[in-house]
Amino acid sequence: MTGDHQTLALVLFSAFVAVTLGITTWVSRHRQGSAEEFYAGGRLFSPLENGFAIAGDYMSAASFLGISGLIALYGYDGMLYSVGFLVAWLVVLLLVAELVRNCGRFTLADVVAARMAERPVRIAAGTSSVAVSVLYLVAQMVGAGSLVALLLGGSSEAARSWTVVGVGALMVIYVSLGGMRATTWIQIVKAVLLMAGTIALTVLVLLRFHGDVNSLLSTAAERSGHGMDFLAPGLRYGGDWTARLDFISLGLALVLGTAGLPHILSRFYTVPTARAARRSVVWSIGLIGSFYLMTIVLGFGAAALIGPDEVRASNASGNTAVPLLALDLGGGAGSTGGTVLFAIVAAVAFATILAVVAGITLASSASVAHDLYSSLRRRHAKQYSEVAVARVAAAGIGAAAIGLGLLARDLNVAFLVGLAFAVAASANLPVLLYSLFWRKFTTRGAVWSVYGGLIPAVLLVLVSPVVSGGPESLFPGVDFHLFPLQNPGVISIPLGFLAGWIGTVTSPEPPDEARHAETEVRALTGAGAA
């Protein structure tokens, strides 16, 4: 890229960072010592504000960069990511949003522990929440590295590495100083910027083809090198039974995983009532739905105007398709319009990454402090010490995400998020649904459900082609893969539900039906909710 691209994009990057650090500094002047203020922003946000923040949390680098890149490379099969992410919100709205807000205080473990023995349940749920969050964070780090590598000409590995480190450092600052209040306002600003940028690019793509969607799709098919097969199922997931099973696994993970994501669940606690939580989800569905429809246009637009070969040459996983599309729509390399549009899109994508990592880091640090630390040190932990531990945990989680982000920098960000969703659907969703809807559920069932989904999901990823055995693996030079699928969801999700059932029916502890009845009334009516 030219020096003009670099200068303008870096100026816009710096402006966003300055604004968000200003928000964080302003918020840090307010009292952040109480757990409710640090984890839930004092529960003072309106449904509209929280709806934008939820959308900001959900529309990540995987959505903006990864999905569009997969569509540009694989056509119809890449579009399935957009559909999966969108349909997942219906599960959240119908099954968990209002009930979670009524039952919990700050984390997933609060919901489960309401009717179980607290210590083992909090340790299990806290462990799985941290695992999901770190996987999700790695995807955002990879997106940041890809973006800056493109900006600097694609040749600077040192710049990519330092970008990952810089993003990690900023997210620790946001969380440590500002807590949920700062994170929420950063998400709102980011959601507005992302929607504005995506709408502008979508309109420009449609104008280039005079509003003719058929022309857009046929041109994309011609340039793909696959003809009309580009618009039909099977290019990525239709080769053999393994690929088809991988697609089923991915679909299950995407649709079921959202309801188990810690940073999404924690958003429901930032509003004053369950009704406000439900209205927040309605607002977010409107924003998220329109956004994912536009990513389809951007993906096929990149295939039609840039071509899959050029996208792949810039980044093998397709993570840079949208910035390249912006450059072309603005008039091409060297043009003023191209420079401006490319820089704006790059800055919006960078803002997206910074905002999402802040939200995830806050949720995972809350799990460490509120669930793990308070369980292990219950007699000595007080609210102010719990918040202090959360701040320290944010630094530790940031360091882990930086290390893994450097290791996984050549993988597609949407694909990485698919793995995080699989772990969330395997470990968090079964225990959440059982706790809310099964009267006979016990403490052993809860613990077995979490570990029965978490351990198989993580182990299957470690022995899958994601880690070894292929040119696109984390360790391409070795081969110790035993599991043929890239996404473990089709195996690990049923195992999570099965383990919860077995643990419950074999438990010597009788189910506490009175506590379940109390939880049920609270979940459905909001009586006694925090």
Side-chain angles (χ1 to χ4, degrees):
M1 297 300 157
T2 65
D4 290 339
H5 292 105
Q6 295 178 22
T7 303
L8 184 56
L10 290 172
V11 167
L12 293 173
F13 287 173
S14 303
F16 180 80
V17 170
V19 169
T20 52
L21 286 175
I23 292 171
T24 303
T25 304
W26 171 68
V27 168
S28 67
R29 295 175 181 173
H30 295 269
R31 185 172 59 89
Q32 295 285 329
S34 72
E36 184 167 330
E37 179 65 34
F38 187 78
Y39 297 143
R43 309 189 199 281
L44 299 175
F45 293 99
S46 69
L48 176 61
E49 291 167 344
N50 198 45
F52 267 87
I54 290 173
D57 245 338
Y58 197 65
M59 299 183 305
S60 64
S63 305
F64 192 52
L65 300 176
I67 292 177
S68 299
L70 286 173
I71 295 173
L73 297 180
Y74 301 107
Y76 181 95
D77 281 10
M79 187 179 69
L80 296 172
Y81 276 86
S82 287
V83 176
F85 280 125
L86 178 55
V87 171
W89 266 107
L90 299 178
V91 177
V92 175
L93 177 63
L94 294 175
L95 289 181
V96 302
E98 185 174 357
L99 304 182
V100 164
R101 172 61 186 83
N102 284 338
C103 286
R105 292 183 66 223
F106 307 124
T107 64
L108 165 70
D110 287 336
V111 180
V112 183
R115 50 177 292 216
M116 308 291 175
E118 283 205 28
R119 194 169 186 270
V121 167
R122 285 194 180 278
I123 291 172
T127 301
S128 70
S129 295
V130 172
V132 172
S133 298
V134 169
L135 272 174
Y136 211 116
L137 279 172
V138 170
Q140 312 309 315
M141 299 295 195
V142 171
S146 298
L147 190 66
V148 172
L150 174 67
L151 182 67
L152 300 179
S155 59
S156 178
E157 289 296 326
R160 183 186 295 199
S161 299
W162 280 110
T163 300
V164 171
V165 174
V167 169
L170 281 170
M171 77 185 188
V172 172
I173 292 170
Y174 292 149
V175 172
S176 300
L177 294 181
M180 178 60 84
R181 195 186 294 267
T183 301
T184 299
W185 282 111
I186 291 169
Q187 297 287 13
I188 292 170
V189 171
K190 165 264 176 116
V192 172
L193 291 174
L194 183 60
M195 287 299 294
T198 307
I199 290 170
L201 287 181
T202 302
V203 169
L204 289 173
V205 169
L206 294 176
L207 286 176
R208 182 71 68 91
F209 291 92
H210 308 290
D212 188 346
V213 177
N214 285 335
S215 175
L216 166 63
L217 296 177
S218 60
T219 305
E222 288 171 11
R223 292 206 62 177
S224 71
H226 299 283
M228 296 309 291
D229 288 342
F230 189 71
L231 305 179
L235 200 58
R236 180 179 174 90
Y237 294 111
D240 52 22
W241 71 269
T242 304
R244 294 174 186 178
L245 199 58
D246 226 343
F247 164 63
I248 295 172
S249 190
L250 171 68
L252 284 172
L254 294 182
V255 172
L256 299 178
T258 300
L261 291 176
H263 66 292
I264 298 297
L265 293 176
S266 66
R267 280 264 152 237
F268 301 136
Y269 302 126
T270 63
V271 289
T273 64
R275 183 170 180 265
R278 187 171 63 251
R279 290 173 60 200
S280 296
V281 177
V282 173
W283 275 108
S284 66
I285 283 177
L287 293 167
I288 292 167
S290 56
F291 172 77
Y292 281 112
L293 289 175
M294 290 187 287
T295 62
I296 296 173
V297 176
L298 298 185
F300 283 112
L305 299 175
I306 308 299
D309 292 339
E310 191 171 334
V311 170
R312 194 175 279 108
S314 172
N315 181 275
S317 299
N319 293 332
T320 55
V322 172
L324 290 174
L325 175 65
L327 183 64
D328 184 86
L329 291 171
S335 66
T336 302
T339 300
V340 171
L341 197 56
F342 173 89
I344 290 173
V345 167
V348 168
F350 198 69
T352 296
I353 291 164
L354 285 179
V356 171
V357 297
I360 301 168
T361 305
L362 179 61
S364 52
S365 63
S367 292
V368 171
H370 184 62
D371 299 328
L372 299 177
Y373 175 74
S374 63
S375 295
L376 297 172
R377 296 283 305 278
R378 187 182 304 154
R379 293 182 181 178
H380 308 288
K382 297 180 181 179
Q383 281 195 339
Y384 69 85
S385 62
E386 187 179 303
V387 171
V389 171
R391 292 187 167 117
V392 174
I397 289 163
I402 288 170
L404 291 171
L406 294 173
L407 186 65
R409 59 191 173 195
D410 293 324
L411 295 180
N412 181 276
V413 288
F415 169 74
L416 284 169
V417 166
L419 295 181
F421 274 59
V423 177
S426 304
N428 292 346
L429 183 66
V431 72
L432 181 61
L433 295 183
Y434 278 148
S435 297
L436 291 173
F437 299 111
W438 191 13
R439 184 177 299 275
K440 296 184 178 181
F441 198 43
T442 64
T443 299
R444 176 189 281 186
V447 173
W448 284 26
S449 182
V450 172
Y451 291 129
L454 175 65
I455 294 172
V458 173
L459 289 179
L460 289 174
V461 169
L462 291 177
V463 296
S464 75
V466 175
V467 176
S468 70
E472 297 180 353
S473 302
L474 286 180
F475 303 106
V478 294
D479 185 1
F480 51 84
H481 89 279
L482 303 172
F483 182 62
L485 305 183
Q486 293 189 332
N487 193 295
V490 72
I491 304 295
S492 57
I493 295 172
L495 284 178
F497 281 99
L498 180 63
W501 179 79
I502 293 174
T504 297
V505 298
T506 62
S507 174
E509 164 202 6
D512 191 336
E513 297 199 14
R515 289 180 72 182
H516 170 76
E518 181 183 337
T519 302
E520 187 175 39
V521 170
R522 179 170 165 180
L524 295 175
T525 66

